[in-house]
Amino acid sequence: MTEILLITGGGRGIGAATARLAVERGYGVCISYLSNHIAAQTLVSELQNLGGTALALQADVGVESEVVRLFEQLDAELGPLTALVNNAGILEQQMRLDQMDAARLHRVFTTNVVGSFLCAREAVKRMSTVHGGKGGAIVNVSSTASRLGAPGEYVDYAASKGAIDAFTLGLAKEVATEGIRVNGVRPGVIYTEIHASGGEPGRVDRVKSGVPMLRGGEPEEVAKAILWLLSAEASYTTGTLLDVSGGR
Ligand code: NAP
């Protein structure tokens, strides 16, 4: 049986690296994206040229109707989902809490938390043996910010990832007898474009001296951890949060 994997926010960064590795390992892959159609389509063409099965679908993970449509389109185009990576995530301009307004908090929590919940819900409906499914695996992409707190930069983002950690532990137990494993990865500082959203594209190089391994991580290094957690090699692993952070 071909494994069918959905990676939210898969057009760029960690999601794109995960898509490349997944296709290499024989998964049929759907990547979702918010607005960067070109990045997503370019990646899909690259994956198809390698002989892989790949599809890109636009959907805002924070909008319930769009998530429902995303999963319905995926069902129709690729068949039954067996794996989900809740990877889509945002952070905003670095600032202290006393500068943050409610609109920002809603945006960050809607994408990072509500989005992951909605996508996991649709995945559980399809994978759980209680719903007639054949099981599957979910990996939530959290962050080391959930235990470091990101003071002076984005405590809102860090708190949203704390919610993802708790969600991972709870959902793993909720569906443990239904054929679904749920785990999290917590990347440290990884070279992607997300740091530009915080106003500091070069952030990884600024903070890397505080990483025990004295370097930032590559998206591919996170992708390998995600693929392991999805695979049968992790068959007895659920409710685990795996740090991929160079010791930080
Ligand atoms: P990135 O390069 O900025 O890519 C983010 C991806 O998420 C993009 O594909 C983007 O779509 C998508 N996205 C954003 N909002 C979305 C929405 N509302 N609905 C659907 N898709 C949405 O980020 P990254 O660094 O690869 O981060 C991936 C995950 O790793 C995030 O959850 C992030 O918090 C986590 N993480 C990253 C680091 C790091 O240092 N890079 C560290 C710890 C954790 P478009 O392409 O259409 O814009």
Side-chain angles (χ1 to χ4, degrees), residues 9-15 33-36 59-61 87-90 111 141-143 157 161 187-190 192-195:
R12 297 185 289 122
I14 291 168
Y33 63 98
L34 178 61
S35 58
N36 196 330
D60 185 336
V61 294
N87 167 76
I90 56 166
T111 296
V141 181
S142 173
S143 169
Y157 170 80
K161 295 301 187 176
V189 283
I190 310 297
T192 73
E193 292 166 357
I194 202 170
H195 305 287

Side-chain angles (χ1 to χ4, degrees), residues 176-199:
T177 59
E178 299 171 23
I180 306 175
R181 294 180 303 100
V182 185
N183 292 289
V185 292
R186 292 195 294 203
V189 283
I190 310 297
Y191 288 101
T192 73
E193 292 166 357
I194 202 170
H195 305 287
S197 321

Side-chain angles (χ1 to χ4, degrees), residues 118-203:
L118 292 174
C119 292
R121 181 191 74 191
E122 292 306 307
V124 166
K125 283 185 188 171
R126 287 158 175 80
M127 295 174 182
S128 168
T129 52
V130 164
H131 294 291
K134 294 190 170 136
I138 297 174
V139 172
N140 294 323
V141 181
S142 173
S143 169
T144 50
S146 73
R147 55 180 172 70
L148 298 173
E153 294 189 323
Y154 17 72
V155 291
D156 54 343
Y157 170 80
S160 76
K161 295 301 187 176
I164 292 303
D165 290 356
F167 175 51
T168 301
L169 303 181
L171 183 63
K173 291 171 185 165
E174 199 166 291
V175 297
T177 59
E178 299 171 23
I180 306 175
R181 294 180 303 100
V182 185
N183 292 289
V185 292
R186 292 195 294 203
V189 283
I190 310 297
Y191 288 101
T192 73
E193 292 166 357
I194 202 170
H195 305 287
S197 321
E200 190 184 3
R203 177 173 177 268

Side-chain angles (χ1 to χ4, degrees), residues 39-83:
Q41 273 311 330
T42 305
L43 177 61
V44 163
S45 303
E46 176 194 323
L47 299 175
Q48 288 173 341
N49 288 340
L50 293 170
T53 302
L55 167 73
L57 296 173
Q58 191 282 330
D60 185 336
V61 294
V63 177
E64 188 166 21
S65 58
E66 295 192 21
V67 171
V68 170
R69 173 181 50 75
L70 167 67
F71 278 78
E72 286 172 355
Q73 283 183 312
L74 197 161
D75 290 339
E77 300 203 29
L78 287 186
L81 184 75
T82 59

